[in-house]
Amino acid sequence: METSKLKKFAQYARRTLMEQVSSKLKLVLEPDSAARRENDKAVADLEKQIRAFSEEQVVEKIAYVWFNRFCALRYMDVNRFNPVGVLSPIPGQFQPEILAEAKMGVMDATMIPDKIQKKVAGLLNGSISSGNAQNEAYRLLIGAVCNYYNKTMPFLFQKIADYTELLMPDNLLSGNSILSYTREALYPEVCDSGTLF
């Protein structure tokens, strides 16, 4: 199997994720950031990690964590290990299946805790205001799925620290997002070949 496309994707994804995590870090660490208002403990934990290691090492670690998770979730989607596509849309659609189902009020209670379900529903029905409700809801769904898989695959889905979730890249639903490139690079034949894991 030709792996040069995968190698290029991995290099591109690493660079892109590091840039996105770094940009997000700057926003989160601003003195009056929404993250500080809504989750001061997570920001304090993040600052503690930066003091213990360095900003560059924290950014690299978190970019690596999200790269691994996004690739694993795509692999699991293609092979139907996930009950619904977490990164992948159903054929003929553009939105990830998990978000499309959430918009219809369907969320898997075993994967998505009740508290997250309520927040996602509130974002999607407009009862919770947001600058980008669908992106925020989708980020919550991804975080919940990753935490769910921590029980069975802790080596890949370590429990997400709150600060790690704060630094998840934005705009995951756009056509030029890291997830879009992940779906393109990890097409079904690649995932079926056993090349990834």
Side-chain angles (χ1 to χ4, degrees), residues 47-83:
E47 290 171 328
K48 183 178 175 183
Q49 289 293 312
I50 291 169
R51 284 191 302 274
F53 301 100
S54 72
E55 188 172 304
E56 185 178 318
Q57 285 182 323
V58 170
V59 165
E60 188 166 352
K61 175 186 171 189
I62 293 173
Y64 179 77
V65 164
W66 285 117
F67 174 77
N68 284 340
R69 289 179 181 171
F70 292 155
C71 289
L73 289 169
R74 173 61 177 166
Y75 178 86
M76 293 166 71
D77 282 353
V78 168
N79 290 290
R80 300 308 290 173
F81 298 138
N82 291 325

Side-chain angles (χ1 to χ4, degrees), residues 19-172:
E19 289 168 8
Q20 291 177 356
V21 168
S22 183
S23 295
K24 193 78 185 270
L25 178 70
K26 287 176 178 53
L27 291 174
V28 165
L29 293 179
E30 287 180 0
D32 60 343
S33 71
R36 283 191 191 278
R37 290 190 303 273
E38 296 167 12
N39 200 343
D40 192 43
K41 183 187 178 317
V43 176
D45 289 346
L46 176 59
E47 290 171 328
K48 183 178 175 183
Q49 289 293 312
I50 291 169
R51 284 191 302 274
F53 301 100
S54 72
E55 188 172 304
E56 185 178 318
Q57 285 182 323
V58 170
V59 165
E60 188 166 352
K61 175 186 171 189
I62 293 173
Y64 179 77
V65 164
W66 285 117
F67 174 77
N68 284 340
R69 289 179 181 171
F70 292 155
C71 289
L73 289 169
R74 173 61 177 166
Y75 178 86
M76 293 166 71
D77 282 353
V78 168
N79 290 290
R80 300 308 290 173
F81 298 138
N82 291 325
V84 296
V86 178
L87 302 190
S88 308
I90 58 173
Q93 299 294 314
F94 297 102
Q95 285 191 332
E97 187 178 5
I98 196 169
L99 180 62
E101 288 203 357
K103 289 168 79 173
M104 294 184 291
V106 178
M107 289 179 257
D108 185 339
T110 58
M111 296 182 92
I112 315 296
D114 188 55
K115 180 180 174 184
I116 301 294
Q117 287 187 44
K118 287 178 181 168
K119 189 164 184 183
V120 167
L123 285 162
L124 295 175
N125 70 25
S127 63
I128 297 175
S129 64
S130 170
N132 193 330
Q134 287 191 58
N135 269 305
E136 192 173 336
Y138 185 51
R139 288 168 51 88
L140 289 169
L141 292 167
I142 288 177
V145 169
C146 289
N147 283 333
Y148 168 78
Y149 281 126
N150 167 258
K151 298 171 200 142
T152 54
M153 294 181 277
F155 55 91
L156 184 58
F157 293 99
Q158 304 91 347
K159 188 78 172 164
I160 293 180
D162 288 343
Y163 70 84
T164 305
E165 198 163 344
L166 282 178
L167 299 180
M168 185 190 307
D170 284 325
N171 299 320
L172 295 175

Side-chain angles (χ1 to χ4, degrees), residues 5 74 179-187:
K5 188 173 182 178
R74 173 61 177 166
L179 297 188
S180 185
Y181 289 106
T182 302
R183 287 189 297 267
E184 185 179 313
L186 302 181
Y187 53 92

